[in-house]
Amino acid sequence: MIDAYEDPGTPDRRGGWRYLLWLVRRQWPRCLAGAVLASVWMVLLAATPYLMARVIDQGLTPGDLGALAGWTGVLVAAGVCNAWLGTMRHRTMTRVRMDANFRTVKVVVEHATRLGASLRRQVGAGEVVTIGVGDVQTVSTSLTAVGPGVGAVVAYAAVGGLLLSVSTRLALVVLLGVPLLGVLLGPLMGRLQSRESEYRERQSVLTARVGDLAGGLRVLNGLGGKGLVADAFRRDSGRLREQGYRVGAVTSWIQALGVGLPMLFLALVTWLGARLAVQGQISVGELVSVYGYVVALGWPVTFLIEMAHQLSRGVVAARRVVAFLRLEPDPDTGTRDAPAEPSVLYDPDSGVRVLPGRLTALAGARPADAAELIDRLGRYAPSEVTWGDVPLSEVPLAQVRSRILVAEAEADLFAGSLRDVIGARETPLRDAGGHDVRLRRVGATSHNTPVDVRRHAGAPPTANLTRAIRTAAAEDIVQSLPDGLETQVAAQGRDLSGGQRQRVRLARALFTDPEVLLAVEPTSALDAHTEATVAHRLRDARRGRTTVVACTSPLVLDRADVVHHLVDGKVVATGTHQELLAGEPGYRALVSREDMDDEVVR
């Protein structure tokens, strides 16, 4: 199977069938082995009735004990061999399925990382979840039909040949029956693909709505909208259930025909064989073999139907995976180098001017305005922002990401030791030119975008880590955990409190020590005492480096060198916290409300 660090290859994105074929080609020796094992296994199943006929005609009927013992021994040996072949076939196809699963997961995750900030704008969260949870599994399961499917065709031809040696009429009935089965099932397979596609689409929409509900439940409850949203969700889930019933109805017909039609063949062929035996055209042993052939043919027919069913579902899922893989990240139009020295970041849309080496605060009544401004300054949204005298959009994205870090309040936290979550574990990676470099893997920051930055020169990792933890006032977190920095933390920090998660995120951002740090609400979940500590330490730790915080906390604003008061996303006043309190009634009202909220919390 594919190794965790192995290159999954370049997927074929020309269509669902092409993608499934690519998965087969990536492990063709294993798929070939599965097909050979399945073919021999099914042929031996079909050969069992032949051996049984020999036992009856050459040993049992004449009373020849030697022939009876010999053919019985061959029959037992064939059974033992077939049992081993069946085990190996199943084991091989399990490896095929798991390789396809892991390979698809890798290409999807790598492409999601490549899309970066553009992912949210191009596809909904529900679609990504549906692909990762459902479609990947369906695609991999469909590949298990490769071995048994080929084996079923081989066994079908073998049974036809054996029946021809007994009776041409019986052989024609059986050989023409399976194509007839395909004619009957063909329209159902097409209908299944259509229903399955619609079901997957509805499922992705509903999954996205579940995520939105979970994230905004408190807000909805406060606004009195929980009931309305719950009713809408109930209606959508009802429609999804009805669509699931439609998919199940088609599937049930396919499975019913898969079980019923072979039984009709069995009854028809047994009746014809019995008439031929009564007429003396075939022996009793041959009649038994004919019955056994048709029974044995049930396996290939079942596998053929299952293969068609799984491939119909698999191609639908593969089309969705391919559609995701066809998404392209925003083009990097950068042709000019970033300023060599720390320079001013200027956003003409808002009028905000970020001076290098200063702690700048953005305070607005609508947090979304400040967050959108941060996105523009960090080049996560189209803008006319300039960096020095260079438009930010014309700077290569790699240069922007290596010097400007956006840290969101709800940035993802991956599972692992606390040291790894913060990013203190060094990992060897390759740069854009393919050369080995020593980088720190920081994890997810804004928009789930992984950030890798070079080691800060002149400071050992332990000093950087200690300084970052202290600045984020996170020493008590390390001390409270049983194994300190080596304690395993759950994904998204579920085993930490809200305030602890926020301080870990801040420590992770500070550990990278970027030239420009843009932080969104870095202290919103902290109590007043801890928030004051973080504000004081943040100013000292980032002295001489550009830092922008979007918040309305007076404890943080009072430590800022410059505060921009935003109204409807525009700067209406600039100054220190004390200057704005004295001269701007709107700012004073905004901060006073924050003070009152702090009193309520305390």
Side-chain angles (χ1 to χ4, degrees):
M1 293 178 292
I2 183 172
D3 185 81
Y5 302 99
E6 181 183 340
D7 179 13
T10 303
D12 194 329
R13 301 181 296 176
R14 289 177 291 178
W17 288 111
R18 297 269 191 173
Y19 182 81
L20 293 178
L21 183 59
W22 173 76
L23 289 175
V24 173
R25 289 201 307 268
R26 293 300 298 181
Q27 48 174 333
W28 69 265
R30 188 179 295 118
C31 291
L32 178 62
V36 171
L37 288 170
S39 299
V40 177
W41 176 65
M42 289 192 188
V43 168
L44 280 181
L45 284 177
T48 301
Y50 172 82
L51 296 175
M52 184 69 72
R54 301 285 76 74
V55 169
I56 294 174
D57 286 344
Q58 298 184 21
L60 188 60
T61 302
D64 187 342
L65 293 180
L68 179 63
W71 283 110
T72 301
V74 173
L75 187 62
V76 171
V80 172
C81 180
N82 226 21
W84 179 82
L85 287 171
T87 301
M88 297 305 296
R89 174 198 64 83
H90 186 274
R91 182 179 300 176
T92 302
M93 297 317 300
T94 298
R95 289 196 175 104
V96 169
R97 183 184 72 248
M98 294 178 70
D99 183 282
N101 190 307
F102 296 153
R103 196 176 298 276
T104 301
V105 167
K106 288 198 71 172
V107 298
V108 168
V109 171
E110 287 183 3
H111 191 66
T113 303
R114 179 169 168 260
L115 290 172
S118 65
L119 176 62
R120 292 183 178 181
R121 295 193 298 273
Q122 298 191 59
V123 64
E127 181 74 5
V128 177
V129 171
T130 302
I131 290 173
V133 174
D135 292 331
V136 170
Q137 183 67 31
T138 303
V139 166
S140 60
T141 301
S142 68
L143 256 65
T144 58
V146 173
V150 173
V153 174
V154 173
Y156 177 65
V159 169
L162 290 172
L163 281 174
L164 281 173
S165 65
V166 177
S167 169
T168 304
R169 185 190 307 175
L170 293 177
L172 288 176
V173 169
V174 173
L175 293 178
L176 293 177
V178 173
L180 177 62
L181 182 62
V183 171
L184 293 174
L185 290 179
L188 289 176
M189 294 300 178
R191 197 170 187 180
L192 176 64
Q193 288 189 27
S194 176
R195 295 285 171 82
E196 188 81 19
S197 297
E198 186 176 349
Y199 178 80
R200 293 290 184 181
E201 293 293 336
R202 289 185 180 275
Q203 188 180 39
S204 65
V205 171
L206 195 63
T207 302
R209 185 158 296 177
V210 170
D212 294 340
L213 262 176
L217 193 58
R218 292 179 61 185
V219 176
L220 288 170
N221 196 29
L223 296 175
K226 184 173 68 173
L228 294 175
V229 176
D231 291 340
F233 180 80
R234 191 177 296 110
R235 288 193 300 270
D236 288 344
S237 60
R239 295 191 188 100
L240 181 65
R241 182 179 62 249
E242 293 299 327
Q243 187 64 28
Y245 288 155
R246 295 188 185 98
V247 173
V250 178
T251 302
S252 66
W253 275 107
I254 292 173
Q255 293 178 345
L257 290 174
V259 174
L261 289 180
M263 293 301 100
L264 291 178
F265 289 149
L266 177 61
L268 177 61
V269 172
T270 302
W271 179 74
L272 290 174
R275 286 179 58 84
L276 292 175
V278 169
Q279 295 170 4
Q281 298 183 32
I282 61 174
S283 66
V284 176
E286 288 175 331
L287 175 61
V288 172
S289 68
V290 167
Y291 178 84
Y293 293 150
V294 180
V295 171
L297 195 62
W299 281 97
V301 171
T302 299
F303 276 119
L304 285 173
I305 295 174
E306 182 67 17
M307 178 182 69
H309 180 212
Q310 293 295 346
L311 287 178
S312 294
R313 300 182 70 238
V315 74
V316 171
R319 286 170 185 161
R320 291 168 56 81
V321 172
V322 166
F324 178 77
L325 296 177
R326 285 175 177 169
L327 300 177
E328 292 296 334
D330 296 335
D332 187 358
T333 57
T335 57
R336 302 175 60 182
D337 286 336
E341 301 295 330
S343 302
V344 174
L345 277 171
Y346 174 63
D347 176 49
D349 290 346
S350 64
V352 167
R353 187 179 299 274
V354 179
L355 300 179
R358 303 286 189 88
L359 174 57
T360 302
L362 307 175
R366 293 182 64 248
D369 292 338
E372 290 171 3
L373 173 56
I374 291 289
D375 280 349
R376 294 197 296 271
L377 294 174
R379 198 177 157 187
Y380 284 106
S383 71
E384 301 298 323
V385 172
T386 58
W387 193 5
D389 59 351
V390 181
L392 189 63
S393 60
E394 296 183 12
V395 178
L397 193 59
Q399 294 186 30
V400 176
R401 294 289 178 261
S402 66
R403 296 173 62 181
I404 300 177
L405 174 65
V406 176
E408 286 188 332
E410 297 299 326
D412 288 338
L413 294 174
F414 299 120
S417 69
L418 182 60
R419 183 188 299 274
D420 289 336
V421 171
I422 294 176
R425 191 86 66 185
E426 292 184 346
T427 55
L429 298 175
R430 292 184 179 273
D431 60 16
H435 305 293
D436 287 334
V437 292
R438 298 297 290 180
L439 302 176
R440 285 204 193 99
R441 177 151 296 186
V442 179
T445 57
S446 178
H447 304 287
N448 301 330
T449 305
V451 175
D452 295 315
V453 296
R454 296 179 186 275
R455 181 191 299 181
H456 179 52
T462 52
N464 267 356
L465 178 59
T466 302
R467 181 166 53 250
I469 291 174
R470 183 182 182 281
T471 303
E475 307 101 312
D476 63 312
I477 301 176
V478 179
Q479 294 168 1
S480 65
L481 296 176
D483 297 320
L485 286 171
E486 304 307 322
T487 302
Q488 294 297 308
V489 177
Q492 304 299 346
R494 290 190 300 269
D495 45 2
L496 302 176
S497 68
Q500 288 176 327
R501 287 194 295 270
Q502 192 166 56
R503 284 181 284 163
V504 168
R505 291 186 181 101
L506 180 59
R508 180 175 62 185
L510 291 169
F511 178 73
T512 69
D513 200 15
E515 177 185 323
V516 180
L517 173 61
L518 309 175
V520 181
E521 298 287 352
T523 60
S524 58
L526 306 183
D527 61 79
H529 174 72
T530 306
E531 187 176 31
T533 303
V534 171
H536 173 72
R537 293 177 179 178
L538 180 64
R539 178 188 175 96
D540 292 341
R542 293 288 299 174
R543 193 179 302 277
R545 300 178 77 75
T546 307
T547 306
V548 179
V549 292
C551 70
T552 55
S553 167
L555 297 172
V556 178
L557 296 173
D558 190 42
R559 297 288 180 176
D561 297 311
V562 179
V563 179
H564 294 292
H565 180 209
L566 304 177
V567 175
D568 295 329
K570 307 290 183 181
V571 175
V572 296
T574 298
T576 66
H577 175 59
Q578 296 301 326
E579 290 171 349
L580 294 178
L581 279 179
E584 288 294 325
Y587 179 81
R588 186 165 54 249
L590 173 65
V591 175
S592 297
R593 183 180 62 183
E594 182 74 22
D595 286 336
M596 288 187 293
D597 290 343
D598 288 341
E599 290 297 332
V600 170
V601 171
R602 286 194 288 269

